[in-house]
């Protein structure tokens, strides 16, 4: 009997809004969970393996929080203009803010 998979509808909708075609609901598909597996691979290669041996869960949790901060706020990503992902996201939303209607009171 295969394991039952629970999938959040909201998560799936968010992926689709972001232009990511989720392969949710298929078994044995080469793209199944590819995005998460890729991210997990980076995490293990860049943080977990190089810094072992770990001395307990608190050490791993703190290092993970530091790595996530670096990954989102400091890492330069060449595909988005050699800027950190957080900066790219901030710029995106600044450009896509709804503009007030002409003559509208502020």
């Amino acid at each position: 009997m295969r394991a039952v998979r629970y999938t959040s509808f909201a998560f799936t909708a968010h992926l689709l809004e972001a232009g990511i075609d989720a392969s949710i609901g298929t078994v044995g598909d080469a793209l199944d969970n590819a995005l998460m597996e890729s991210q997990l691979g980076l995490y293990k290669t860049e943080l977990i393996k190089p810094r072992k041996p770990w001395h307990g869960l608190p050490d791993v949790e703190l290092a993970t929080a530091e790595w996530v901060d670096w990954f989102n706020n400091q890492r330069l990503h060449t595909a988005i203009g050699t800027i950190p992902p957080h900066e790219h996201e901030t710029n995106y939303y600044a450009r896509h803010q709804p503009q007030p209607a002409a003559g509208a009171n502020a």
Side-chain angles (χ1 to χ4, degrees):
M1 175 185 253
R2 79 180 171 116
V4 177
R5 295 183 185 185
Y6 295 93
T7 303
S8 166
F9 177 77
F11 177 69
T12 303
H14 184 69
L15 289 176
L16 294 173
E17 287 173 11
I20 300 171
D21 186 16
S23 64
I24 295 172
T26 59
V27 177
D29 188 331
L31 299 177
D32 194 28
N33 297 319
L35 184 61
M36 181 51 77
E37 289 174 11
S38 177
Q39 187 66 37
L40 203 54
L42 282 173
Y43 169 74
K44 288 160 80 174
T45 300
E46 294 177 353
L47 178 71
I48 296 300
K49 292 176 184 174
R51 291 183 53 181
K52 64 182 179 181
W54 295 94
H55 299 290
L57 185 58
D59 291 341
V60 175
E61 289 174 338
L62 179 60
T64 298
E66 291 169 348
W67 183 81
V68 169
D69 177 65
W70 168 81
F71 194 88
N72 291 324
N73 299 305
Q74 300 166 25
R75 171 183 61 108
L76 301 179
H77 197 299
T78 57
I80 57 175
T82 316
I83 60 174
H86 182 264
E87 184 178 337
H88 178 72
E89 182 178 17
T90 300
N91 294 344
Y92 173 86
Y93 285 113
R95 288 190 312 267
H96 293 86
Q97 288 292 325
Q99 299 300 318
N105 293 334

